[in-house]
Amino acid sequence: MSAAPRRSFLPTTSYVVLGLLSFGRDLTGYELERWADFGMRFFFTTPAMSQIYRELARLEDLGLVRGRSSGGERTRRAYRLTARGRAELRRWLDEAPVDPPVLKHSVVLRLFFGHLTSPERMRVVLEEHRRWAEGMLAALDEVRAELGDEPTWTHARVVAGWGERFYGGEAAAAAEAAARLEQHDGRGVSAGGRDRRDRRV
Amino acid sequence: MSAAPRRSFLPTTSYVVLGLLSFGRDLTGYELERWADFGMRFFFTTPAMSQIYRELARLEDLGLVRGRSSGGERTRRAYRLTARGRAELRRWLDEAPVDPPVLKHSVVLRLFFGHLTSPERMRVVLEEHRRWAEGMLAALDEVRAELGDEPTWTHARVVAGWGERFYGGEAAAAAEAAARLEQHDGRGVSAGGRDRRDRRV
DNA sequence: ACTGCCATGTAACTAGTTACATGATTGG
DNA sequence: CCAATCATGTAACTAGTTACATGGCAGT
């Protein structure tokens, strides 16, 4: 008796591909991967090449993209969005439930289980993470520079703003966590007295 | 002839299970899921129940956990970490490469493709995300309150600090993005420069 | 008696991976 | 001629999902 027809949606990765093609340029599987890795890796894991090719095959079956070969049958096949593809992408944007980001943060996981390893190792892990985040921040700056101020990239610039906050946050959080642990370890090790809090259980 | 033996590691989800059992309490598959969903969902997607049961079966095959049934063969089976399980977890913490967090952020993805939908929809999406982030923040506060100041949860408290930064950041980023778009749309509309590309459908 | 939570698992499927095989084109 | 990059795809596998089937136990 439900009133909703509830057509379902494709996996999000499909919309990554459709979306990249929505900027108007025809792209090969290879280029798709380069673009995804250039601009989207900041907020969405880049799928493996083989996955992209399979995705393209599926989307073509569904009539959402059309591929055209050039330079012989195998050498190069560039895809463009069909009208139905554009409509499907729009349907997703307009109607798909806004589900929360998927996060698998193995660094924080390690931190959570920090009682099982040494403070030194924990410091190394956090420092490595901090450096990674700084690196991403730098890469993001480069991307942003390339965006210029063309209106095509209006939303991309806003996304870059999100990214700066996110990666800056990760770097700061790693530093803060390290500082907090250091403080805690220091207290535990150096002064025998003065801190009864640490002895219970 | 390579110097490195390079034993490989289990999927990260396995270490989630091992780690939860490292706090010393025997847990059933069901409880494992509850605990993961209570404390780890803030930084690591909670696996499906069926996945947890399969994980436990595998870990038992590998001798990393041991399960004991009680109350008949089917009704309840609680698992504990074996010495080898603890060693494997420690090996992962100490030696596994620190790989970056895996992120699939469909909200930012939508923002990136914002040129394909309406400003109103974009506002709704961002607002929904902001509220979700605020909700997570509130939930995190509750968890934190429950942690008290026992030393068992030292690292968990540091993780909570990370979470506050992360979810606070998401909420702020959503708000900021919405503000930036509003500003931009206002400018675009009042100046009369209509977008040429988006008239159909 | 019934409801809600505790509890375990299987089956079928989907999404994604790595490893491998193959070849064209371009620039030094 | 050689290396790097562009380019496409298959095969085998792994991780994870949803849907389903089953049943115990506690409280009202």
Side-chain angles (χ1 to χ4, degrees), chain B residues 91-178:
Chain B
R91 186 176 75 91
W92 177 71
L93 286 163
D94 286 347
E95 295 167 29
V98 182
D99 32 42
V102 171
L103 185 59
K104 293 176 84 169
H105 204 314
S106 68
V107 174
V108 178
L109 182 65
R110 269 171 239 246
L111 181 57
F112 193 75
F113 297 141
H115 59 289
L116 295 163
T117 185
S118 65
E120 296 77 43
R121 169 63 177 168
M122 211 59 255
R123 222 184 305 121
V124 168
V125 167
L126 289 171
E127 174 60 15
E128 234 174 277
H129 182 60
R130 195 191 60 77
R131 290 166 77 83
W132 168 82
E134 301 282 10
M136 289 297 275
L137 218 40
L140 191 57
D141 265 6
E142 274 176 52
V143 170
R144 182 174 244 177
E146 219 136 326
L147 292 179
D149 59 354
E150 295 173 54
T152 320
W153 304 118
T154 299
H155 290 86
R157 280 188 295 275
V158 178
V159 165
W162 166 89
E164 231 138 82
R165 200 185 275 273
F166 173 75
Y167 290 103
E170 285 294 301
E176 190 192 320

Side-chain angles (χ1 to χ4, degrees), chain A residues 7-11 14-15 18 59 62-64 81-96, chain B residues 201:
Chain A
R7 264 187 305 164
S8 60
F9 296 97
L10 293 164
S14 304
Y15 298 103
L18 293 176
L59 293 175
L62 293 171
L64 304 180
L81 208 52
T82 64
R84 286 187 51 204
R86 187 170 290 268
E88 172 58 22
L89 181 52
R90 170 118 207 205
R91 185 176 75 90
W92 177 71
L93 287 163
D94 286 346
E95 296 167 30
Chain B
V201 174

